[in-house]
């Protein structure tokens, strides 16, 4: 199974370094970008367990970036946690939730709280990966079962045809009986 990735989006490199330090030691690869545009480019080619997104950035802000993320089928279910230096503003928080954020955290924040929240999304991502692998394995096994059933039916048909054209042999009849479902 691959390692989960978390996308860190902030226009300030010192904030990205701080986020990487907070998440250090978790089973995750962090990818840091400095703009909404860069984030959208990364999301075209890679899947992420979560996105930590600065709400206020020059150019495309976090809200517009989140809106684009949630419009794409591939990324619409990726959890977004907004991080902002703005004072607690209920309007901005509601704006964040309205574009699809799962959380809206104002700075300064408790690093252990953020780490714990991200860990939950990493665990959910890993469970989703395991479920997809199990589903694929189940599909493969069903296909194999179908193939083996068709081959067994062909063998039964060939044996039945052969049996019709031969003399009766109790040992062969016993073996043929073992091939019949419910016979033993």
């Amino acid at each position: 199974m691959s390692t989960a990735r978390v996308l860190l989006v902030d226009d300030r490199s010192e904030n990205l370094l701080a986020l990487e330090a907070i998440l250090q030691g978790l089973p995750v690869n962090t990818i840091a970008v400095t703009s909404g545009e860069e984030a959208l480019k990364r999301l075209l080619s890679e899947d992420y367990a979560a996105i930590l997104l600065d709400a206020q950035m020059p150019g495309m802000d976090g809200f517009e970036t989140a809106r684009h993320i949630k419009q794409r089928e591939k990324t619409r279910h990726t959890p977004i946690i907004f991080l902002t230096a703005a004072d607690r503003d209920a309007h901005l928080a509601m704006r964040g939730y309205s574009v699809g954020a799962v959380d809206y955290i104002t700075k300064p924040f408790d690093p252990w709280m953020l780490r714990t929240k991200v860990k939950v999304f990493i665990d959910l991502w890993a469970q989703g990966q395991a479920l997809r692998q199990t589903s694929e394995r189940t599909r493969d096994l069903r296909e194999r079962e179908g193939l083996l059933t068709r081959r067994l039916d062909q063998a039964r048909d060939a044996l039945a045809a052969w049996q019709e054209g031969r003399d009766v042999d109790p040992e062969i009849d016993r073996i043929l009986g073992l091939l019949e479902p419910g016979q033993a």
Side-chain angles (χ1 to χ4, degrees):
M1 185 181 335
S2 61
T3 302
R5 287 186 292 273
V6 173
L7 184 60
L8 311 175
V9 187
D10 197 306
D11 60 308
R12 299 183 60 174
S13 59
E14 62 271 17
N15 290 343
L16 293 171
L17 285 172
L19 290 172
E20 288 175 335
I22 290 168
L23 301 179
Q24 188 174 2
L26 290 177
V28 66
N29 290 329
T30 57
I31 289 75
V33 297
T34 58
S35 70
E37 292 87 354
E38 286 181 80
L40 294 175
K41 286 178 187 175
R42 287 294 190 141
L43 289 163
L44 288 173
S45 61
E46 298 174 330
D47 292 325
Y48 292 88
I51 301 168
L52 302 183
L53 180 58
D54 183 18
Q56 299 176 320
M57 296 183 291
M60 182 186 298
D61 68 10
F63 302 109
E64 185 178 352
T65 302
R67 189 175 48 76
H68 286 293
I69 291 168
K70 294 302 181 177
Q71 286 176 344
R72 293 188 60 233
E73 181 63 35
K74 180 181 176 190
T75 57
R76 83 172 23 134
H77 299 293
T78 305
I80 298 172
I81 298 174
F82 271 110
L83 304 172
T84 184
D87 289 332
R88 275 224 175 260
D89 181 342
H91 172 72
L92 287 177
M94 288 309 299
R95 186 173 172 205
Y97 290 121
S98 73
V99 294
V102 297
D103 208 347
Y104 189 92
I105 302 172
T106 56
K107 299 174 190 172
F109 53 81
D110 179 350
W112 290 104
M113 176 197 60
L114 179 62
R115 183 180 170 88
T116 301
K117 289 181 182 200
V118 170
K119 177 76 168 85
V120 168
F121 291 117
I122 292 168
D123 291 345
L124 288 171
W125 179 87
Q127 290 172 0
Q129 289 292 103
L131 184 60
R132 280 186 284 283
Q133 288 177 347
T134 299
S135 177
E136 289 172 12
R137 180 74 177 134
T138 300
R139 186 193 69 239
D140 292 345
L141 288 171
R142 285 190 177 135
E143 288 174 7
R144 179 97 172 125
E145 176 187 32
L147 175 65
L148 292 173
T149 300
R150 286 189 298 279
R151 286 183 180 169
L152 183 58
D153 288 343
Q154 291 169 349
R156 281 190 189 123
D157 292 344
L159 284 171
W162 174 80
Q163 187 178 24
E164 288 177 13
R166 64 157 184 86
D167 294 327
V168 176
D169 182 337
E171 183 60 17
I172 290 178
D173 286 342
R174 185 186 71 76
I175 293 170
L176 290 174
L178 292 175
L179 293 175
E180 293 300 320
Q183 304 289 317

